Every structure is written in C-alpha cells, then in structure tokens.
C-alpha cells in the first residue's frame, strides 16, 4: 500500500505561549474527502496553517506523499503539492479574476499547460470565465469562493485544503459550493481535506471525519458513522 | 486567452498619459490660482505691474516645478512601494538617495581624474551621465536591500513602531558613515558634481516681447535630461509592476502576504526585490538631484526625503500613480512658492518659506484625507 497523501503525526503548534495544537495525528488517503469539524477556536484553521507552513509546528511530523514537509518554507510546500484555500478566501482584491488565476499558477512556466488548466477551471466554474476581467474585490462572496478554489486548482495540487468554504455564504450558495466539492472529488478525483463549522454538510460530502476539540482530536471515523453518533449530533449538528 | 494578458503598448502609453495629465492638470491649476491671486492683489504694488511680472515668470517657474516634480516623484516611489508591501515607512530612504548621489558624483569625479570627462556635448557625455545614474542605482539598491536584511527583517513581527525607530537609526548611521568617509578621504564632507558635457547650456524655447525688451524663456539641458530620465523611470516601473510576472508577485504580496505564500511566492525575496527597486529609484533621483544642484552632501537626503514622503502621502501612500501625482503637485507648488512668495507679500515672506507649503499639505492631507488624493491602500494597478 502506498503512503497516504497527507500524514500528520503528533503535531504540536503554538501561538507564542498558547498551545494551539496538542498532538494532532491524521491521515488523508488518495482520492478521499476528509473533514475536520469542531467549534470555533478548536484549532481547525491552525491545523491547515501548520500543514501549509504558514505557521511552523514546534513538534511532530507532517508528510506529503511520504516526504516530510515540516520546517519547509510555505512557498516550497506549495511547490510540493499543497493547495490551500485560506479562511476568508484570500482573494487579491485589486487583481482581476484572470490575474488571480495566474497567481494560482505562479510556479508554472509552461504556457500550454497553463491554458489547459485554465480551461479546466473555467469548465468547473463557468461563472469565473464570465467575470474574467473583473477585479477580485468586486465579486460576490460565492464567486470569490469559486475563484479561491479555482485558483488553488491552477496549482494542480496533490491535496486541496479547504478552510470554511461555506463561511458567510447564503444557504443556496453553500449548497452549490458543497456540490462543487463533491464533484471535484468524484469526477476529477481531487483529494480534499475540508475544514468546516457546518458539520452537517461537511459530513455529507466526506468519506471520513475527525472531530477537533481545543487542540485535540477527540473522535474519528467514517463520516456516515459520525453523522449518526449521538455525541456528534448533540455537540455539532444541533438537533 | 491572450485577450486577458496585459497589452504591452498600453502599459507604456497609460503611465505616460497619466504623467502628462498630472503635469498639465497640476500646472494649470496652480498657474490659475497664482495668476488670479496676482490679479486680485495687483493694486497693492505701485512700483511694478504685478500681473505682468507674474506672467513673465510663469513659464520658467513651471519648468523648474516640473523638473522638481519628477525628482520628488521618483523618490516618492521608493516610499510608496515599500509601504505597499510592508505597510512600513522607510525613513532611511532619504539616505539611500544621498548614497546614490555620492556614488554618482564619485564615479564622475573618478572619470574626471582619468581625464575622460568631455567638455562639450556629445554622446559620450550622455553615456557617462547614464553611467553615473547606473552606479547610483546600483549602490542605493544594494544599501536598500542590505538595510532591509539587517535592520528591518528581524523586526518584522515586532510592533510597528520598532522598525520605524530602527529606520531612523539607520538614517543617522548612514549620514554619519558618509560624512566620516568623505571627511577622511577628501577633507570635506561634501562633493561637487563635476562640470562636463555642456549640460548647463540653455536652449531658448521662445522670446516674449515686453515693452522695448525681450524676455527669453529657456530650458537648461539639465532639466531636459531630468525630465527624460524621470519619465523613463516612472514608465519602466509601471510596466514592471503592472505587466510582468515579478510585478504580479509584488502586487500579490502587497495585497495579502499570507495568500501570496500559498501561491508559491517567495515573499522574502519579493520584499527584498521591492527594496532593491525602491532604493535604485531613490539612487537615480539622488544622482539627478546632485546633477541639478551641483553637489552632494551627507545631509542632502533629509528634506527631499521628507518632501517625497509628503508627496507619497498626498497621492495616496501605497499607490504608484499617486506618488507620481503627489510628486508633481509638490514640485510645482514649491517652485511657485519660491518664485512668487516674495513678490506677492512685498518681501515679508521670502522664498525660504516654501517648505512650509509642503508640510502644511502633509498636515492637511493627514487630517482631511488620510488615504491621499488617489487613496488606495495597496500597490494597486492603475
């Protein structure tokens, strides 16, 4: 059996003196959608930031396709195949949609390959093609989220890290975004690590899930099982 | 797909057009105010025709103002670019400018020592001047990058006041290092820009008939050179920032540093490159400044630096186009104040009060429109 796409072993991350992640271990296999659920401040975003190197863990190991990426600077980690769609989308507001997508392929020098990837992103998000000359900051929240995901796909990453893609979106758009996530995984075979507060929706698209509480993983298992687990229902699903 | 790529010709023509609009607009506005003032207060002087004097001086004052404006704009770009990527005001920028000036002057003095400086005009004179500008850019750019590496980068996580104070420290340090070097090496702390190439020659543009005399309006070769070099710098920078991959990386870092990392941008390298470009522009401006005012001294960076900073704030700090506009407005304003203040106030306020205008503008802008005339927060396109 080949190594998992992403493997975290006993990762400890600090913000100054605050111990934010207290020994996180998780794996994501190729072709999987894995979700990380938990309440505000549980450490979901910190986990993703530790993976993409925006914050350096103090302890533990992070492996991408069996290669350690810990203590590698973030722009090198991108090169190795992590596509991180950050919380709040991280659109460059003054760059056009096209320039934002170009930034996604920043490391790519091959023009033909660029156009191929661009065509693929436009096929998934036709809306982006309509808005191609518009400034990123003038897009609606849903369009910005599509741009953020499309931009990460321009990197053709080994794994896509999505941080709260449904945040601040109207219910109809939330549904559309989750529909896209499912499609990305099922028809394009994209491996995804999804962080969500909307546990219900996340568990419905995911294969497996981890529950994060104050920096520790307290539960894990198949998404279906967690969806019906009384503790999860009580704490995160709210009925 | 190529449709979405920047049109190269447009990327050159647009900043040129913007420059032209800024020059003409600011010139027209300030001229109109001045002439109107002269018209209104013409009764206060019986010894001269105030309106006539004002009009006669006008073309020369405009030319001087535009030349000064180009230099301020070029310096202001250094402040604005660094502010764009780091939201940090690099108060040592005036000293990068000063080092550039000295580097250029030293280069020419050395050439003079070799007997290679021509007296008359010709391509060699231009080549040597270009060489001096190049040397100035190289030295200032290197000092700028080193300063960032040594004095700013280690403080990047610190509260905002800390790097600011570090910058002021670097500023004093660079002044005194240069003063020390010049005093020991040359016995004087300043250097005179060598006279060569017939740049002080004046070209008569036109002559105004006045009663029985003629007033000639002339432009010095120096001014033409500064305007040309300044335009090339401003257009070149616009092109670099708006139409190249490097420029896109700079803009992405300016807008969102963390996301730039996630795109695979080597953020530290881009910040260093920004300091390199800003410092090099400051160095070029330093050489041009000493070329125009014929000397370089260790404290020459202070006032031009402060004024260029004012220009950057006036235009909207972080905005490249804003720095061009702010520089132009400030240069013209200063030139007008220097020329007309004495005449209009019957000598009560001399030309030395011109600096008040620059800093009054700084205060007014900070109170009423802190984001500046073209107020963008980041190094934006257009």
């Amino acid at each position: 059996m080949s190594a998992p796409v992403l493997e975290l072993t006993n990762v400890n991350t600090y913000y100054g003196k605050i111990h934010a992640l207290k020994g996180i271990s998780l794996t994501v296999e190729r072709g999987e959608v894995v979700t990380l659920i938990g309440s505000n401040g549980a450490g979901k975003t910190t986990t993703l930031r530790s993976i993409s190197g925006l914050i350096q863990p103090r302890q533990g190991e992070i492996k991408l396709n069996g290669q350690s990426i810990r203590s590698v600077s973030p722009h090198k980690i991108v090169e190795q195949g992590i596509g991180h769609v950050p919380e709040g989308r991280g659109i460059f507001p003054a760059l056009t949609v096209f320039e934002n997508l170009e930034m996604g392929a920043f490391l790519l020098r091959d023009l033909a390959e660029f156009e191929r990837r661009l065509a693929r992103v436009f096929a998934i998000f036709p809306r982006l093609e309509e808005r191609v000359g518009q400034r990123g900051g003038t897009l609606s929240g849903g369009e910005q989220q599509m741009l953020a995901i499309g931009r990460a796909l321009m990197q053709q990453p080994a794994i896509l890290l999505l941080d709260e893609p449904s945040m601040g979106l109207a219910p109809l758009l939330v549904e559309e975004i989750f529909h896209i996530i499912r499609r990305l995984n099922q028809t394009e075979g994209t491996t995804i690590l999804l962080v969500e507060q909307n546990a219900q929706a996340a568990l419905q698209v995911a294969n497996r899930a981890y529950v994060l509480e104050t920096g520790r993983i307290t539960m894990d298992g198949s998404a279906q099982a967690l969806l019906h687990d009384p503790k999860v229902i009580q704490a995160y699903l709210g009925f | 797909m190529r449709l979405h790529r920047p049109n190269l010709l447009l990327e050159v023509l647009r900043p040129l057009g913007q420059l032209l609009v800024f020059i003409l607009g600011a010139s027209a506005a300030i001229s109109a105010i001045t002439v109107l003032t002269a018209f209104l207060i013409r009764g206060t002087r019986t010894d001269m025709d105030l309106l006539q004097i004002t009009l006669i001086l006008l073309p020369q004052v405009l030319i001087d103002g535009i030349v000064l404006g180009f230099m301020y704009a070029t310096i202001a770009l250094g402040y604005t670019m660094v502010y764009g990527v780091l939201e940090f005001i690099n108060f040592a920028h005036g000293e990068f400018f000063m080092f550039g000036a000295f580097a250029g002057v030293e280069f020419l003095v050395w050439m003079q020592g070799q007997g290679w400086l021509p007296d008359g005009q010709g391509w060699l004179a231009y080549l040597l001047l270009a060489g001096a500008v190049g040397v100035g850019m190289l030295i200032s750019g290197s000092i700028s990058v080193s300063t960032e590496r040594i004095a700013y980068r280690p403080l990047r996580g610190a509260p905002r006041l800390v790097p600011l104070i570090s910058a002021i420290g670097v500023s004093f340090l660079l002044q005194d290092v240069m003063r020390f070097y010049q005093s020991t090496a040359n016995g004087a702390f300043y250097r005179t820009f060598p006279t060569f190439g017939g740049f002080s020659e004046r070209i008569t543009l036109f002559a105004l008939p006045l009663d029985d005399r003629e007033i000639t309006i002339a432009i010095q070769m120096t001014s033409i050179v500064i305007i040309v070099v300044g335009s090339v710098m401003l257009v070149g920078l616009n092109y670099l920032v708006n139409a190249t991959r490097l420029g896109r990386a700079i803009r992405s870092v300016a807008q969102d540093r963390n996301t730039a990392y996630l795109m695979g941008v080597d953020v530290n390298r881009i910040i260093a490159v920004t300091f390199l470009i800003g410092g090099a522009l400051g160095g070029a401006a330093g050489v041009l400044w000493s070329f125009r005012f014929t000397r370089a001294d260790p404290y020459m960076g202070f006032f031009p630096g402060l004024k260029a900073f004012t220009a950057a704030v006036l235009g909207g700090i972080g905005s490249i186009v804003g720095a061009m506009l702010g520089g132009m407005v400030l240069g013209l304003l200063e030139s007008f104040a220097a020329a007309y203040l004495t005449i209009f106030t019957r000598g009560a306020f001399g030309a030395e009060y011109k600096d008040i205008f620059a800093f009054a503008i700084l205060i007014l802008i900070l109170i009423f429109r802190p984001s500046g005339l073209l107020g963008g927060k980041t190094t934006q396109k257009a």
Side-chain angles (χ1 to χ4, degrees), chain B residues 207-224:
Chain B
L208 291 174
L210 173 71
D211 302 332
D212 50 346
R213 308 177 282 149
E214 270 201 337
I215 307 280
T216 55
I217 304 303
I219 183 165
Q220 231 179 337
M221 273 313 290
T222 321
S223 306
I224 296 177

Side-chain angles (χ1 to χ4, degrees), chain A residues 169-200:
Chain A
L169 298 184
L172 217 63
L173 278 168
V174 172
E175 213 169 288
E176 193 177 339
I177 291 288
F178 277 103
H179 180 74
I180 288 164
I181 293 171
R182 190 191 307 263
R183 207 181 107 201
L184 278 177
N185 176 251
Q186 284 172 359
T187 62
E188 314 262 333
T190 314
T191 308
I192 296 171
L193 176 58
L194 170 69
V195 154
E196 259 299 337
Q197 275 203 59
N198 187 344
Q200 173 94 33

Side-chain angles (χ1 to χ4, degrees), chain B residues 136-221:
Chain B
M137 291 176 83
L138 194 74
I139 296 293
S140 292
S142 323
I143 289 181
S144 179
V145 171
S146 319
T147 304
E148 191 272 330
R149 188 70 194 82
I150 296 164
Y152 302 156
R153 195 182 297 179
L155 302 174
R156 210 175 283 160
R160 300 180 63 145
L161 201 57
V162 177
L164 209 66
I165 291 168
S166 179
I168 293 171
V170 168
S171 166
F172 285 130
L173 181 79
L174 290 177
Q175 284 176 4
D176 287 333
V177 163
M178 184 51 85
R179 189 190 167 115
F180 179 75
Y181 169 73
Q182 290 299 333
S183 319
T184 40
N186 305 315
F189 68 91
Y190 67 90
R191 277 287 211 181
T192 308
F193 198 92
T195 313
F196 74 106
F199 288 115
S200 51
E201 195 169 298
R202 299 174 75 84
I203 296 168
T204 305
L205 294 179
F206 49 90
L208 291 174
L210 173 71
D211 302 332
D212 50 346
R213 308 177 282 149
E214 270 201 337
I215 307 280
T216 55
I217 304 303
I219 183 165
Q220 231 179 337
M221 273 313 290

